[in-house]
Amino acid sequence: MFAIVQDNQVAQYVPDGSSFTWDGVQYPPQWTAQATPEEMAAIGMLPVVYGTYPNDQFYWVSTDAPIITATEVTINYTATPKDITVLKPQMVNQVNQTAYTILLPSDWMVVKAVETAGTVPADWNTWRQTIRTQAADAAGIINACTTVDQLAALPSVPWTPDPDQAALLAAQEAAALAAQESTTSTTGV
């Protein structure tokens, strides 16, 4: 993105690779990529540099007035924290919804066990409880936060893979390790 500055004000923004008209002259889409710094300076064109955009899940974001220097136009943002009493229940609901979605494909095992007086395989039963525990732990961590900044800094829940996924991942890791050992032994490293 570029800006054409006139009288220390941004007169026009020009997206990279787009044609534009300035001062009665039509410029082709590739002009910003091919123009020399002198050609850009001749029409008052400067690159636009953007600051870090705050996470709008947690903050109301507004764009500050551009800061114009001799070499660039900088666009920064102001982040105003949203209401934590609204955010926390939303985040807990999202964690619970994710846990529900993760458990849903294996619910048939529980239904079958109840209907046939059977049992859910132990590894699956343990995994299902692990997912519920992870959701409860995440909800506790969310509810313990006292600022929006703390909420925004929380990492994603590292959900435990189900027994089938865990077995597949273990097999893939074993194969990768075997391939690495094979390569190491043949190269003598």
Side-chain angles (χ1 to χ4, degrees), residues 25 32 36 58 64 83 95 155 187:
V25 177
T32 56
T36 66
F58 301 100
D64 298 343
D83 185 350
V95 165
T187 60

Side-chain angles (χ1 to χ4, degrees), residues 99-114 120 124 127-128 132:
Y100 171 81
T101 302
I102 291 169
L103 291 172
L104 187 61
S106 63
D107 281 353
W108 69 271
M109 292 179 185
V110 177
V111 172
K112 180 182 175 189
V114 169
V120 175
W124 281 88
W127 171 76
R128 288 175 60 83
R132 288 190 291 273

